Amino acid sequence: MEKRSTGISGLDQVLEGGLPCGTIVLIQGNPLSGSDLLARQFWNAAADFGTYLMLDGEVESGMLSEFSPERTEEYGRGEVIIVDSLSTILLEHGIDITLAFLRSMKEQIRRTGGNLIVLTYPGLHTQLEEVRLLRAVDLFFEMQQEVVMNEVSHLLIIHKVVGMPVPLRVFPYFVTEHGVELSTSIFIV
């Protein structure tokens, strides 16, 4: 199976070479978890940037800012397509249009060997909507942030990778000025 680098060496190592080409990746995390930084690292690691559909943040050069269900062909250009966020599409257009969008994009990326990275926010959707989204994607990463006293810890939890066993699923990560760095060290006491 052909793989594409995530731009994060620790995550590439965990995924045995990167993201399987032709897959949809759902990243769930609050806006302070670094989920947007992770998505940007995926986008920047691609040789052909592809499409970045920015619906929930500052639109930068090369990004699109408006979603329309009729424009899926336009969104499917390039190696890595980012949707920030799928939560906005779901809240504004409903689950049926969101799933139709994912199905259409899946057909495109399977043909081209691209990857679709979609971001969602926890706690905004019904359990049924979340289940339907999780069934529609190939990989599911959850980014958690916890504050204890004066310490902030981050965990990347890999819940789903179609076609690959994931022996260790929880990884600490650090948010830096350059993006997300995954810690793959094992500590023995």
Side-chain angles (χ1 to χ4, degrees):
M1 175 181 292
E2 187 178 344
K3 299 209 175 176
R4 173 171 293 107
S5 174
T6 63
I8 304 164
S9 60
L11 188 54
D12 285 347
Q13 179 183 356
V14 168
L15 296 173
E16 299 176 359
L19 299 174
C21 293
T23 58
I24 298 176
V25 181
L26 188 148
I27 301 170
Q28 184 179 70
N30 73 48
L32 300 177
S33 69
S35 57
D36 60 329
L37 295 173
L38 187 66
R40 285 174 194 266
Q41 283 174 270
F42 291 167
W43 192 51
N44 290 329
D48 173 13
F49 281 154
T51 303
Y52 203 117
L53 182 57
M54 175 57 82
L55 302 172
D56 292 339
E58 187 174 327
V59 179
E60 298 174 12
S61 178
M63 295 180 174
L64 301 175
S65 62
E66 294 179 19
F67 173 77
S68 170
E70 294 81 31
R71 294 174 57 191
T72 56
E73 284 293 324
E74 179 183 344
Y75 303 138
R77 295 185 185 138
E79 291 180 1
V80 176
I81 299 110
I82 308 290
V83 177
D84 184 354
S85 82
L86 194 66
S87 287
T88 295
I89 294 173
L90 179 54
L91 290 169
E92 291 180 1
H93 298 276
I95 189 67
D96 292 330
I97 287 177
T98 302
L99 291 173
F101 169 69
L102 289 177
R103 281 190 298 274
S104 174
M105 294 301 294
K106 185 177 271 195
E107 289 174 18
Q108 288 184 59
I109 63 170
R110 293 262 161 92
R111 277 195 316 268
T112 64
N115 290 100
L116 174 63
I117 315 297
V118 297
L119 278 62
T120 62
Y121 303 120
L124 293 182
H125 312 296
T126 68
Q127 286 182 329
L128 180 58
E129 289 169 337
E130 287 190 6
V131 166
R132 293 180 74 188
L133 288 177
L134 292 176
R135 291 179 59 91
V137 301
D138 304 300
L139 293 90
F140 173 46
F141 302 162
E142 179 182 3
M143 298 179 78
Q144 292 186 353
Q145 175 183 354
E146 183 176 290
V147 178
V148 178
M149 303 282 282
N150 65 343
E151 302 252 341
V152 178
S153 64
H154 296 94
L155 293 175
L156 175 70
I157 305 167
I158 302 175
H159 291 283
K160 178 181 179 181
V161 179
V162 169
M164 181 185 150
V166 184
L168 182 59
R169 296 175 182 256
V170 179
F171 302 93
Y173 69 92
F174 306 95
V175 178
T176 71
E177 63 187 52
H178 303 292
V180 172
E181 294 179 8
L182 193 69
S183 174
T184 57
S185 301
I186 296 175
F187 299 97
I188 300 172
V189 180

